[in-house]
């Protein structure tokens, strides 16, 4: 009898606590700041809402490496994301050293076979052709799509993501010397030149090599706020960072 | 008899060929362009003259790596020097993977024990303290000094070179958060803040992290001309490169 009385007394508090659960859409644009009080889909971007606490967890990023990858392509964003507190790990087709730009030997953390899921997949340029044309790598990217919230490419990394079908009906950019080739390769993609990065919401592509730094800072600004991006740029003494220097595609 | 006649006939040509040998001082400043016709020392900078052909050989650069080195500190200059055709190799205290910034596993090409000589030694920042205070590393740097034409430091890499005595009576800079510490540590060094890089001729130090890119491009401009530095910056899509943004110390 006492227990029943206690439950009756606590019921309004429990209901109130349930009411307090907050939901947000995964970071993608202006609708990120809207707080919802029920699960479901964001009426603005259509993405599945997630609990606000979950959204604030540490962002994990999978860096896909391969032989003859361009050094600054991946090292610039690696510096930015690490400074911003993201959790980065590296993956290569096999778990043996890759040689970046013919010079730097990097040991990947994982192979395609044992790489854990990540919130974001990042792919980079350099001699991207063999990786873009590798059916095993492309199948691996596609197989992880359902668990990947967002994608980031630098330079000719766009060819890899494009071959996985992820740039279809998207706006994208790539290395200045490969703009025409990407247009030919991906007829369903609007390929822009003279732009530092292009943000489609879920998929962000950047121009060549050093543009990866600006694209990564844009992602930090998008996910953690412009103040955090400016803080990271200051840490890196990257006084040359210009916020909003790329194109954010309006849907 | 015929051989003797041939030698007498050729003698003036051989003497003329010897006269044509050209000498220059190693690249260090305005005196680089002076052509000397005898070996010896440059009367302007005091450096030992070298044959002009030798001066034009491929520049070799030794990158000293260590655990918790900052990624962009070394990766930015590695991109620049590689794009400029320099021959870069990596060295760590032992020939086992170093973990850059707690994230990137890099396999060095050599250990201190078996590293070949290089025209330039490059040292970088990050958690530089343990390396700067390591007597074995400092002794190794000093032991190679006679065969090292020039030095390059990025960020807190200046503490390592400073502890080897190489910044005595030089002007230098470092990471913006470590200016006062470097001043205390190296009382015989003039330490400047708010400068992207400082070029003493043989020794060039840069500010933090991303400033290494600008310092490396300055070295390319110095050794191979401004046109080449601009070409490399264009390859890297580093439109933000501003030539002569650092201080060249007048002696």
């Amino acid at each position: 009898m006492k227990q029943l009385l206690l439950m009756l007394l606590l019921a309004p508090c429990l209901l109130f606590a349930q009411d307090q659960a907050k939901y947000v859409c995964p970071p993608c644009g202006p609708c990120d700041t809207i707080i919802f009080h029920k699960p479901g889909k964001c009426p603005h971007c259509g993405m599945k809402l997630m609990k606000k606490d979950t959204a604030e967890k540490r962002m994990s990023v999978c860096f896909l490496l391969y032989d003859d990858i361009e050094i600054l392509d991946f090292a610039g964003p690696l510096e930015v994301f690490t400074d911003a507190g993201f959790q980065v790990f590296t993956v290569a087709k096999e778990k043996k050293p890759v040689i970046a730009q013919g010079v730097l030997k990097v040991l990947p953390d994982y192979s395609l076979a044992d790489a854990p899921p990540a919130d974001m997949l990042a792919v980079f340029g350099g001699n991207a052709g063999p990786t873009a044309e590798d059916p095993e790598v492309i199948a691996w990217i596609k197989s992880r799509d359902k668990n990947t919230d967002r994608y980031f490419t630098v330079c000719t990394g766009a060819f890899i993501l494009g071959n996985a079908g992820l740039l279809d009906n998207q706006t994208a950019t790539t290395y200045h010397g490969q703009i025409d080739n990407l247009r030919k390769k991906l007829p369903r993609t609007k390929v822009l030149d003279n732009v530092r990065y292009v943000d489609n919401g879920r998929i962000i592509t950047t121009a060549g090599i050093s543009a990866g730094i600006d694209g990564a800072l844009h992602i930090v600004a998008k996910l953690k706020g412009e103040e955090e991006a400016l803080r990271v740029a200051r840490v890196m003494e990257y006084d040359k960072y210009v916020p909003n220097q790329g194109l954010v595609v309006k849907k």
Side-chain angles (χ1 to χ4, degrees), chain A:
Chain A
M1 184 65 192
K2 263 188 186 173
Q3 273 183 330
L4 187 65
L5 194 65
L6 194 65
M7 278 181 74
L8 284 170
L9 281 167
L10 283 176
C13 307
L14 291 169
L15 284 170
F16 181 75
Q18 197 180 16
D19 272 354
Q20 290 305 92
K22 290 174 182 172
Y23 297 85
V24 291
C25 75
C28 65
C31 49
D32 300 348
T33 52
I34 305 171
I35 306 291
F36 299 89
H37 296 280
K38 284 192 299 189
K41 284 192 172 181
C42 171
H44 302 275
C45 68
M47 289 169 92
K48 191 183 166 191
L49 298 178
M50 57 206 295
K51 279 201 174 174
K52 194 166 181 287
D53 294 349
T54 318
E56 283 163 3
K57 79 175 172 54
R58 205 171 165 209
M59 170 70 115
S60 60
V61 193
C62 170
F63 272 48
L64 179 64
L65 306 182
Y66 55 83
D67 273 329
D68 286 326
I69 193 169
E70 192 87 10
I71 291 163
L72 193 58
D73 271 42
F74 71 90
L78 192 45
E79 173 77 40
V80 171
F81 291 151
T82 303
D83 290 347
F86 293 5
Q87 186 198 358
V88 179
F89 61 85
T90 58
V91 175
K93 189 171 175 181
E94 293 170 44
K95 201 174 169 180
K96 60 181 193 183
V98 299
I99 303 187
Q101 224 166 325
V103 183
L104 190 71
K105 296 189 187 82
V106 179
L107 260 178
D109 297 318
Y110 300 99
S111 70
L112 298 188
D114 64 2
D119 301 320
M120 176 160 56
L121 174 65
V123 291
F124 306 95
N127 184 20
T131 301
E133 302 297 335
D134 186 328
E136 206 178 316
V137 177
I138 298 304
W140 176 81
I141 293 173
K142 287 179 174 176
S143 73
R144 293 164 62 93
D145 184 52
K146 60 184 179 300
N147 293 319
T148 304
D149 289 338
R150 61 192 68 244
Y151 293 93
F152 178 51
T153 78
V154 176
C155 200
T156 52
F159 286 82
I160 301 171
L161 218 57
N163 278 3
L166 286 155
L167 295 183
D168 287 0
N169 308 311
Q170 302 284 307
T171 307
T173 194
T174 186
Y175 186 62
H176 64 279
Q178 292 293 329
I179 295 284
D180 285 344
N181 281 344
L182 192 66
R183 281 181 183 145
K184 282 176 203 152
K185 193 86 187 173
L186 305 178
R188 287 186 293 277
T189 305
K190 185 176 176 186
V191 180
L192 303 181
D193 57 358
N194 291 318
V195 63
R196 200 87 181 137
Y197 56 81
V198 179
D199 176 357
N200 295 272
R202 189 184 182 213
I203 295 174
I204 293 166
T205 57
T206 80
I209 311 181
S210 71
I213 298 173
D214 301 282
L217 283 167
H218 169 71
I219 290 175
V220 172
K222 184 180 166 93
L223 302 186
K224 301 186 89 172
E226 192 58 64
E227 267 312 302
E228 175 64 2
L230 288 166
R231 184 195 66 78
V232 170
R234 276 194 300 274
V235 165
M236 292 168 56
E237 298 206 23
Y238 189 51
D239 316 338
K240 299 172 184 189
Y241 171 53
V242 181
N244 309 311
Q245 207 179 13
L247 171 74
V248 178
V249 178
K250 306 287 175 207
K251 302 259 169 169

